[in-house]
Amino acid sequence: MKFTEKAKIEIIFGDGHFDRQIIKNAIEKNKDKYCQISLFIPESGRKGKGRTINTGIDGVLKFIKEDVTRFSLGYIIFVDKEHCSSDCENDVNKLANKYGISISATEKIAEDLDIYKLTCSIGNKKFFMYFIFLGFYCCIEDFILIKICKSNISKFTGEGCCKKYKEIFKSVQKEMKESCTEKTYDELFKAIARVLEEFTTIKM
């Protein structure tokens, strides 16, 4: 796996440091499962220096509008469900229109995962966006707690729900937290692999 300024795929995060680190680790741990491709994470290199991405769908799309005419043709985007209303797909379409991004097709590419492929354009520039929405209800912390740790916890949705799950996650015993986080990498990579196979051949 290469992180290079010549990359044709950018990985973009609509949330904070914890999400970025989990996903980076998931890709690194499973890099033997796919052919070498050129990826770039804006926060990690010179290309991204001085360019910030605000949180949420709005922040991501604002960044892409400014970025796509200069650099990449494909975007893999991770956003917590906290930033969606009850309809993530509709939220993306409305905010894309705000930034002059035309969406000609939207496809949910996995029945059991919230992954959407969007065929887009700005003027005559065509590109793809793949949105991966994280969490069962809210964010990556509730995904880890419910899917990996098998915790019996309450359902929180809407604005501020991630803060509640972060507090619960912090209270988990250190050894269990580390074990659950490690197991998350392979589980999360199932979603990442589904998108990467659109770009290259997966070695499974």
Side-chain angles (χ1 to χ4, degrees):
M1 180 176 60
K2 291 182 179 179
F3 293 92
T4 169
E5 292 189 4
K6 296 180 180 179
K8 293 300 182 183
I9 304 168
E10 283 196 30
I11 298 176
I12 299 176
F13 305 95
D15 294 282
H17 173 75
F18 183 68
D19 296 56
R20 289 196 299 272
Q21 195 58 54
I22 290 285
I23 293 159
K24 287 177 185 178
N25 290 346
I27 292 173
E28 184 65 27
K29 181 179 178 181
N30 292 279
K31 64 183 179 181
D32 62 316
K33 294 182 180 178
Y34 58 91
C35 297
Q36 189 177 67
I37 57 176
S38 294
L39 299 172
F40 178 71
I41 301 176
E43 294 88 344
S44 67
R46 287 184 299 147
K47 180 180 168 187
K49 187 176 181 180
R51 296 190 301 148
T52 58
I53 302 174
N54 294 328
T55 58
I57 299 169
D58 188 277
V60 164
L61 292 176
K62 181 181 180 182
F63 174 86
I64 289 174
K65 180 192 176 182
E66 298 170 354
D67 183 81
V68 72
T69 56
R70 296 181 292 169
F71 299 116
S72 296
L73 297 177
Y75 296 89
I76 302 173
I77 302 150
F78 295 90
V79 180
D80 284 341
K81 286 183 182 176
E82 177 186 24
H83 300 292
C84 297
S85 64
S86 58
D87 188 344
C88 293
E89 183 180 343
N90 185 54
D91 291 343
V92 171
N93 277 275
K94 286 195 300 185
L95 288 167
N97 185 61
K98 172 183 175 180
Y99 291 108
I101 300 173
S102 298
I103 300 174
S104 59
T106 303
E107 176 188 2
K108 188 174 183 181
I109 64 172
E111 287 300 319
D112 57 335
L113 300 166
D114 289 305
I115 307 174
Y116 295 88
K117 175 184 178 182
L118 291 81
T119 305
C120 309
S121 63
I122 295 178
N124 61 0
K125 181 79 169 181
K126 296 181 179 180
F127 60 101
F128 294 99
M129 297 190 297
Y130 293 83
F131 272 85
I132 300 176
F133 291 99
L134 299 171
F136 276 106
Y137 310 125
C138 179
C139 58
I140 198 168
E141 283 83 0
D142 86 67
F143 176 83
I144 296 172
L145 287 165
I146 297 169
K147 179 72 174 181
I148 311 300
C149 291
K150 307 298 183 183
S151 299
N152 184 17
I153 56 176
S154 300
K155 176 181 177 179
F156 303 109
T157 59
E159 186 177 352
C161 64
C162 194
K163 183 178 179 180
K164 295 178 181 179
Y165 284 118
K166 285 180 184 295
E167 290 172 354
I168 296 171
F169 189 70
K170 285 179 181 178
S171 69
V172 174
Q173 186 181 18
K174 181 180 178 181
E175 290 77 11
M176 181 180 290
K177 185 188 300 182
E178 290 175 351
S179 175
C180 290
T181 301
E182 182 68 25
K183 292 175 183 176
T184 299
Y185 302 146
D186 289 335
E187 192 65 34
L188 186 58
F189 190 74
K190 293 176 184 177
I192 298 169
R194 184 64 185 87
V195 176
L196 291 180
E197 71 183 2
E198 297 271 339
F199 296 107
T200 189
T201 302
I202 302 292
K203 296 179 179 178
M204 300 302 286

